[in-house]
């Protein structure tokens, strides 16, 4: 540990130490006059004799100490190199207990690889976390010389495309392969279509997409009707095939969280910039999307016909439409043995330990003692 002052200029406050000394010398403790006989025989104007004395030295010492501590607090005292450099074992949620026990030695500090790095004996974190980001954070918060072991499950979720690069070598321990879990595929969205008479022919493309989303033994979740038919209250995805402004009630529905895909001729406001969400074979944008309240607006950039958008009659259109209306997060699973961190990153400078909170507590205690000495009833009185 190395003590230091981040603001040495704060020690200039030590000049205030002269104040209580001067006060105690110039204004001695209260005196009282005692009458006694034969005062007439005394010289009415004696020559005064003065000696430099200081009364209540304990009170003066308390005040001097209080001022010195305040000056030290202003100078921002810190201690460098006080971080815990014990070996640490970080366990990612999902790692099996047998692997954790085998990787842990006596004296190791075992923590969860979770926000705040709680002790491993605490409750198991339930929520999935970004393991790679937590590994980088752990590397940054530990002193350079602290050994680190990481115990992870056989499969990591939510990882980056690149292996993490750390400032130290770590022991990378991979647990046993967990039993395969069957994840149910999300249900396809219910597709609601509202069309003008001149656009009725385009409904067939969306009916075909809804049919492709559905298994052979089920009925497609598809609702098509003219533009004067109300949008169901439970609808979440709307195809609007009509020119001119979108009705106010439909715009309100979008602002409350709905997703609308409009033809090129439809008009609906969009907040902020739009981004392409569907591109052609040459990279040209076929549809752009933007925000409107809590909802999304997707607008086609070309007429809704195969001559302008050949992808309408291609096998990939149902998937493209599903991605536009209900984008799913890309899977990010990787085998842990293939994602061991690399070394070579620059070491992180560890922050010092700030001593001011402890000084503040000591200052409060000394101040309470000084007040007690200054106001006590048995305070000394000079003769």
């Amino acid at each position: 540990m190395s003590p230091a002052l981040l603001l040495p200029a704060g020690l200039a406050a030590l000049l205030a130490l002269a104040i209580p000394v001067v006060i105690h010398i110039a204004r001695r403790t209260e005196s009282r006059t005692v009458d006694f006989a034969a005062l007439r025989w005394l010289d009415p104007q004696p020559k005064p004799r003065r000696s430099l004395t200081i009364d209540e030295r304990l009170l003066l010492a308390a005040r001097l100490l209080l001022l010195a501590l305040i000056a030290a607090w202003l100078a921002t005292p810190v201690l460098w190199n006080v971080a815990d450099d014990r070996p640490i074992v970080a366990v990612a949620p999902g790692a099996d207990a047998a692997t954790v026990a085998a990787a842990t030695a006596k004296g190791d500090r075992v923590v969860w690889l979770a926000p705040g790095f709680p002790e491993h004996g605490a409750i198991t974190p339930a929520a999935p976390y970004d393991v790679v980001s937590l590994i980088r954070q752990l590397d940054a918060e530990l002193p350079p010389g602290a050994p680190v072991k990481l115990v992870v499950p056989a499969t990591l979720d939510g990882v980056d495309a690149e292996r993490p690069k750390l400032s130290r070598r770590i022991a990378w321990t991979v647990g046993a392969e967990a039993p395969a879990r069957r994840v149910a595929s999300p249900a396809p969205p219910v597709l609601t279509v509202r069309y003008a008479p001149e656009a009725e022919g385009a409904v067939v493309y969306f009916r075909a997409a809804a049919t492709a989303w559905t298994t052979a033994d089920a009925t497609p979740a598809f609702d098509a009707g003219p533009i004067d038919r109300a949008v169901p209250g439970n609808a979440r995805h709307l195809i609007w095939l009509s020119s001119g402004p979108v009705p106010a009630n439909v715009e309100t529905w979008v602002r409350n969280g709905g997703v609308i895909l409009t033809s090129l001729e439809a008009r609906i406001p969009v907040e902020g910039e739009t981004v392409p969400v569907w591109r052609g074979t040459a990279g040209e944008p076929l549809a752009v999307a933007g925000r409107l309240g809590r909802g999304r607006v997707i607008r086609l950039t070309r007429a809704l016909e195969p001559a302008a958008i050949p992808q309408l009659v291609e096998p990939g259109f149902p998937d493209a439409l599903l991605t536009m209306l209900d984008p799913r997060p890309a899977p990010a699973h990787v085998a842990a043995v293939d994602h061991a961190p690399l070394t070579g990153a620059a070491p992180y400078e560890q922050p010092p330990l700030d001593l001011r909170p402890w000084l503040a507590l000591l200052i409060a205690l000394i101040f309470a003692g000084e007040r007690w000495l200054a106001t006590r009833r048995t305070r000394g009185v000079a003769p």
Side-chain angles (χ1 to χ4, degrees):
M1 293 185 294
S2 303
L5 297 176
L6 297 185
L7 189 61
L11 294 179
L14 290 174
L15 297 175
L17 291 176
I19 297 175
V21 175
V22 172
I23 293 176
H24 275 251
I25 293 175
R27 188 180 179 183
R28 298 178 57 190
T29 309
E30 298 174 356
S31 61
R32 63 188 180 192
T33 303
V34 179
D35 295 330
F36 58 93
L39 282 177
R40 67 176 182 272
W41 306 109
L42 297 180
D43 187 356
Q45 293 182 348
K47 292 183 178 180
R49 289 185 179 182
R50 295 183 178 271
S51 61
L52 186 61
T53 58
I54 298 179
D55 294 330
E56 299 184 287
R57 296 181 181 181
L58 185 58
L59 176 59
L60 175 60
R63 289 172 173 172
L64 292 176
L65 180 59
L66 181 61
L67 290 175
L69 290 177
I70 293 175
W73 188 91
L74 293 174
T76 314
V78 296
L79 283 179
W80 293 94
N81 304 322
V82 294
D84 189 353
D85 58 356
R86 289 181 299 164
I88 186 170
V89 179
V91 181
D96 60 290
T99 306
V100 175
T104 305
K106 185 177 181 181
D108 289 347
R109 185 161 60 99
V110 186
V111 300
W112 284 111
L113 198 59
F117 305 110
E119 293 295 329
H120 187 259
I123 299 176
T124 304
Y129 301 111
D130 187 347
V131 173
V132 175
S133 295
L134 288 168
I135 291 174
R136 295 192 181 101
Q137 180 183 349
L138 182 67
D139 180 50
E141 293 182 358
L142 292 178
V148 179
K149 303 175 186 177
L150 293 178
V151 182
V152 297
T155 302
L156 297 179
D157 299 329
V159 299
D160 301 337
E162 183 180 359
R163 292 164 63 185
K165 181 178 289 188
L166 308 180
S167 65
R168 75 193 74 214
R169 289 187 176 275
I170 64 170
W172 182 257
T173 304
V174 179
E177 184 70 44
R181 295 177 300 173
R182 297 189 62 182
V183 180
S185 300
V190 177
L191 200 56
T192 303
V193 180
R194 294 294 181 263
Y195 57 88
E198 64 273 12
E200 185 176 0
V203 177
V204 64
Y205 307 121
F206 301 99
R207 188 187 301 274
T211 303
W213 297 341
T214 311
T215 58
D217 56 345
T219 303
F222 187 76
D223 173 24
I227 57 175
D228 56 357
R229 183 189 297 180
V231 177
N234 60 349
R236 290 294 176 266
H237 304 86
L238 173 65
I239 309 297
W240 187 263
L241 305 179
S242 178
S243 59
V246 172
N249 61 329
V250 176
E251 181 180 330
T252 302
W253 173 85
V254 176
R255 291 183 181 274
N256 291 333
V259 179
I260 186 172
L261 186 149
T262 70
S263 59
L264 176 63
E265 299 82 8
R267 296 292 178 266
I268 187 172
V270 176
E271 299 171 353
E273 298 182 355
T274 58
V275 295
V277 292
W278 188 25
R279 294 182 181 273
T281 54
E284 72 280 11
L286 301 179
V288 294
R291 305 298 305 181
L292 180 60
R294 293 186 289 111
R296 295 174 62 233
V297 175
I298 305 170
R299 183 175 60 84
L300 296 174
T301 61
R302 298 186 178 187
L304 193 59
E305 55 186 26
I309 307 179
Q311 289 79 3
L312 289 174
V313 293
E314 294 180 357
F317 175 66
D319 291 337
L321 180 62
L322 182 61
T323 301
M324 285 189 288
L325 296 177
D326 191 15
R328 309 291 168 88
H333 309 295
V334 67
V337 294
D338 299 327
H339 212 69
L342 305 172
T343 57
Y348 298 90
E349 183 178 356
Q350 299 299 309
L353 175 63
D354 191 356
L355 297 180
R356 287 182 299 174
W358 300 100
L359 274 180
L361 178 60
L362 186 56
I363 288 171
L365 293 175
I366 298 299
F367 178 75
E370 185 272 341
R371 287 291 84 200
W372 177 79
L373 290 172
T375 59
R376 71 191 190 281
R377 303 184 68 177
T378 59
R379 190 174 173 185
V381 178

